Amino acid sequence: MGQGHVETTEYDVVVIGAGPVGENVADRVRAAGLSCAVVESELIGGECSYWACMPSKALLRPVIARSDARKVPGLAGAVQGPLDAAAVLAHRDSFTSHWKDDGQAAWLDGIGVRVHRGHGRLDGPRRVTVKSPEGERHVLAARHAVAVCTGTRAALPDLPGLAGARAWTSREATSAQSVPGRLIVVGGGVVATEMATAWQALGSRVTLLVRGPGLLPKMEPFCGELVAEALREAGADVRTDTSVTSVARDGDTVTVTLDDGSTVEADELLIATGRAPRTDDIGLESVGLTPGRYLDVDESCQVVGSDWLYAVGDANGRALLTHQGKYQARIAGAAIVARAQGVPILETDRWGAHAATADHDAVTQVVFTDPEVASVGPTLAEAERAGRRVRAVDYDMGSVAGASLYADGYKGRACMLVDLDREVVIGVTFAGPGAGELLQAAAIAVAGEVPVDRLWHAVPAYPTISEIWLRLLETYRG
Ligand SMILES: Cc1cc2nc3c(=O)[nH]c(=O)nc-3n(C[C@H](O)[C@H](O)[C@H](O)COP(=O)(O)OP(=O)(O)OC[C@H]3O[C@@H](n4cnc5c(N)ncnc54)[C@H](O)[C@@H]3O)c2cc1C
Ligand SMILES: NC(=O)c1ccc[n+]([C@@H]2O[C@H](COP(=O)([O-])OP(=O)(O)OC[C@H]3O[C@@H](n4cnc5c(N)ncnc54)[C@H](O)[C@@H]3O)[C@@H](O)[C@H]2O)c1
């Protein structure tokens, strides 16, 4: 630290990290009249806006639209050609505002949130130091709360040769300016399957190397099976039960050695093997916490053992999804405001105003693969592990009239989990074309704990894919 005077500014709330979650914490506390500063070391809008949700979905939308169109008689013939990769990449660039954050900076300014550019670090209770890109230091003192919203980065495995292999992480996979001829993707989770889908359709020859027996292991098994089948039909080489033992780059070629001793060559290599919290260099040691871990929080997203520190969004590891993080931001924001106003008892009971209950019971997720996969609540395996008495009802979505109109030869599957003690739906998974837009009805049923007998009266319109609900309920009721 320099020897000169370090300016200190006091705010009610200081937020470290201006991703979607930090922005929403700031918005909530400002809306209640508290003063707020956010500290951002890169771009306002975070991973989601520039290297995750937005660019990946901009890459995938044409892929999914073309695939759907190819299943519609009368239209299929018009969409047999390749995608215009240059146009898709340009469209993606516009969705990231060309990696400029002026619009989001202006929005924060418009709601009266002060942005401090630089790296934020805790420096004892309620104090955050900011080191600007020019090396200047500033101290921010928080009267009521500090919210850590620093997100995650790609976690890289300890693989011989990886350091010198110029491997892609999710950042390069979502921002690449040209289509590699051959791409190896390591991993079988959401990033790996979405990016394999996108780049295969954009013209790469993709080899997907999956350590486990199938794709998307956190979802119902049929999801990974349908996505693997479609990736293979699209020309990708999908290899399960395959581990990478080393990596080497020689000029433009990267060579991956597998556990059976064979090798695969490509132009680029994407490592998509999970995430790590960005909590390693934020001064957690100055407040008695261990750096580098997801922060342990209570239902209001307050860090366990603290009455002023919050961790919201990816940084707490509860559900690594933008919409769940923004939901947490609304809950944490309300809790910060209530505590600042001296409200004696917060509503932290299940589904209370200050409890992020959906993080346990109703996490929604759409995987934008071809076919799409959408889920809310636990899988059957998770429910059984938790000791719940459940019945799973499965149904072939392709046999629903709306689905067969949507796409010729529609392939899809749905699963509904009913809690047998309470007769409510606790989980639903859909895998099939158009599945993403089916999800919110399921989320309402699960979060609303709507009894199955009442769902019977929620009549899906004919002939929509939503008639899958009727088929699932008929199957359940017998
Ligand atoms: C390829 C990919 C695709 C995804 N697609 C989806 C999707 O379709 N839907 C979905 O819901 N989720 C998706 N996700 C997950 C989603 O991106 C995250 O859940 C979301 O970005 C988390 O938001 P956040 O604000 O918690 O963190 P982030 O978006 O990571 O933002 C954290 C911010 O904090 C800043 N920061 C970190 N440390 C400091 C510091 N010390 N000082 C100052 N600033 C700091 C960072 O620069 C960053 O701007 C995807 C993830 C990936 C990798
Ligand atoms: N559409 C969306 O909502 C969306 C899209 C992308 C990412 N995300 C979120 O971002 C988070 C991160 O996604 P992700 O795909 O990075 O993580 P993930 O946890 O979904 O998948 C990581 C995969 O890598 C495998 N793996 C781990 N170490 C490995 C190794 N050494 N070798 C080979 N395989 C290995 C794991 O078995 C796992 O299947 C997820 O929680 C996801 O929900 C969401």
Side-chain angles (χ1 to χ4, degrees), residues 96-189:
T96 60
S97 306
H98 302 268
W99 292 274
K100 290 196 177 62
D101 65 1
D102 313 75
Q104 272 159 295
W107 175 75
L108 279 178
D109 192 48
I111 61 168
V113 172
R114 175 71 202 275
V115 176
H116 290 265
R117 300 273 182 177
H119 186 94
R121 250 184 222 97
L122 288 163
D123 181 20
R126 297 168 200 267
R127 274 168 63 91
V128 174
T129 57
V130 186
K131 188 176 175 195
S132 76
E134 297 75 33
E136 285 165 10
R137 281 180 187 270
H138 198 113
V139 174
L140 310 179
R143 274 185 286 266
H144 296 296
V146 174
V148 173
C149 305
T150 50
T152 57
R153 63 168 72 87
L156 294 177
D158 189 12
L159 266 180
L162 186 58
R166 296 200 311 270
W168 282 5
T169 67
S170 49
R171 283 204 169 190
E172 289 76 21
T174 51
S175 62
Q177 291 298 324
S178 59
V179 180
R182 299 164 300 170
L183 172 67
I184 296 171
V185 180
V186 179

Side-chain angles (χ1 to χ4, degrees), residues 297-301 311-313 316-321 323-329 331 351 355-364 377:
V297 295
D298 67 13
E299 288 296 87
S300 71
C301 295
V312 196
N316 64 34
R318 282 164 73 104
L320 306 185
L321 292 160
H323 47 274
Q324 293 298 140
K326 286 161 66 175
Y327 159 73
Q328 291 171 20
I331 301 282
W351 304 118
T357 309
D359 283 353
H360 314 291
D361 290 8
V363 171
T364 51

Side-chain angles (χ1 to χ4, degrees), residues 15-23 38-57 116-121 128-130 148-154 169-171 173-174 190-192 194-195 275 278-282 312-316 319-326 328 364-368:
V15 177
I16 311 179
V21 176
E23 287 180 323
V38 300
V39 186
E40 174 54 56
S41 57
E42 295 184 79
L43 293 174
I44 296 165
E47 207 69 17
C48 175
S49 300
Y50 305 102
W51 300 284
C53 325
M54 292 314 278
S56 62
K57 269 75 252 182
H116 290 265
R117 300 273 182 177
H119 186 94
R121 250 184 222 97
V128 174
T129 57
V130 186
V148 173
C149 305
T150 50
T152 57
R153 63 168 72 87
T169 67
S170 49
R171 283 204 169 190
T174 51
V190 193
V191 172
E194 284 190 348
M195 289 299 93
R275 313 290 299 171
R278 289 176 70 171
T279 58
D280 47 337
D281 187 20
I282 57 165
V312 196
D314 274 17
N316 64 34
L320 306 185
L321 292 160
T322 292
H323 47 274
Q324 293 298 140
K326 286 161 66 175
Q328 291 171 20
T364 51
Q365 175 154 31
V366 175
V367 185
F368 293 80

